[in-house]
Amino acid sequence: MSLASVLLITGGGRGIGAATALEAARRGYAVAVNYRRNAAAAEQVVTEIRLAGGQAVAVAADVAVEAEVVALFEQVDRTLGPLTALVNNAGILETQMRLESLDAARIQRILATNVTGTLLCCREAARRMSTRHGGKGGAIVNVSSVAARTGSPGEYVDYAASKGAVDTLTMGLAQELAGEGIRVNAVRPGFIYTDMHADGGEPGRVDRVKAFVPMQRGGQPEEVARAILWLLSDESSYTTGSFIDVAGGR
């Protein structure tokens, strides 16, 4: 892997995104760390990469906003060069509640980031990487969730539904781009120790539910990152439209 391999990670300032950025840099990628609001967290990841001799930039953009997605990819073009890999990691959830308590505004917020944002980023990546458009190919990894399979009843059915859409996108886009040099795969994390659980109102959620995991523990962001990096690498060169569940057997 050379520094000519350029990776964009959406939501790269914390959790799985940050772990993936750091591991990718160790493997020789030049990394664009996208963030929406937390500039300090993204810059900390970038600083750590640079101190280790890697190449990285932090780029602000809300993936739910089309104009910001377009600007994000254009900035990566200018600062790092031609994109060769994309990790769609940006995702949100909101306070745990049953469907009967949800309103349309919340549902729209979840879908705008988790579904529309992923679609828009895939579009911009395809326009750059597809051999149909003069690109040299590449790889996309979408960060889904085991919730796409379980439905997350009583907590986040809206989030689970959004990740089900990501799974369907992964399957369809993989077939659409397979002949154009682009592989599209997904990882489905289970209960992972990240700050995201605090967004849902329960920072200690993983410790509460880990007894339901066959391996009897929560996962670490680095464990998900390694699966993502395998799917981006040439080691998975004949793998597209596939899913890796990183969920301790759940």
Side-chain angles (χ1 to χ4, degrees):
M1 189 65 61
S2 70
L3 284 179
S5 297
V6 175
L7 168 62
L8 167 60
I9 303 173
T10 64
R14 65 176 191 170
I16 292 168
T20 303
L22 294 168
E23 181 61 31
R26 282 191 286 269
R27 299 187 188 198
Y29 286 89
V31 183
V33 179
N34 158 254
Y35 66 96
R36 183 176 54 166
R37 287 193 299 260
N38 195 339
E43 290 293 352
Q44 183 176 345
V45 174
V46 167
T47 297
E48 188 170 339
I49 289 172
R50 290 176 176 170
L51 288 174
Q55 185 178 3
V57 295
V59 187
D62 183 345
V63 298
V65 180
E66 183 174 17
E68 294 190 28
V69 171
V70 172
L72 164 64
F73 278 77
E74 289 175 346
Q75 187 166 345
V76 174
D77 292 340
R78 290 192 301 270
T79 57
L80 296 180
L83 189 74
T84 55
L86 167 68
V87 175
N88 281 306
N89 172 71
I92 62 170
L93 52 72
E94 298 196 13
T95 305
Q96 297 172 359
M97 64 179 63
R98 291 167 55 91
L99 176 64
E100 63 201 32
S101 300
L102 300 182
D103 60 23
R106 166 177 162 149
I107 295 168
Q108 288 165 355
R109 287 192 298 271
I110 297 289
L111 297 180
T113 294
N114 298 3
V115 182
T116 302
T118 300
L119 282 161
L120 290 172
C121 289
C122 283
R123 183 193 73 187
E124 292 301 307
R127 287 175 173 177
R128 287 159 172 78
M129 298 191 297
S130 171
T131 55
R132 185 166 176 257
H133 296 291
K136 296 182 180 180
I140 296 171
V141 175
N142 296 321
V143 179
S144 178
S145 172
V146 165
R149 291 195 287 101
T150 66
S152 203
E155 295 185 325
Y156 311 112
V157 293
D158 51 351
Y159 173 81
S162 76
K163 292 303 187 177
V166 169
D167 283 5
T168 300
L169 165 64
T170 299
M171 292 184 287
L173 192 62
Q175 295 175 63
E176 185 169 306
L177 298 177
E180 300 171 23
I182 302 174
R183 296 183 301 105
V184 185
N185 294 288
V187 296
R188 285 189 292 229
F191 298 130
I192 309 297
Y193 287 103
T194 73
D195 293 340
M196 195 175 198
H197 300 288
D199 298 340
E202 188 184 1
R205 180 169 179 257
V206 175
D207 286 329
R208 173 175 64 84
V209 299
K210 66 183 180 182
F212 300 105
V213 177
M215 290 183 70
Q216 298 287 295
R217 68 174 179 88
Q220 296 297 327
E222 292 77 13
E223 294 178 295
V224 183
R226 287 191 287 270
I228 292 170
L229 267 296
W230 182 78
L231 287 170
L232 291 179
S233 76
D234 290 339
E235 292 183 358
S236 63
S237 57
Y238 197 51
T239 302
T240 197
S242 292
F243 299 82
I244 298 178
D245 288 359
V246 187
R250 184 166 176 267

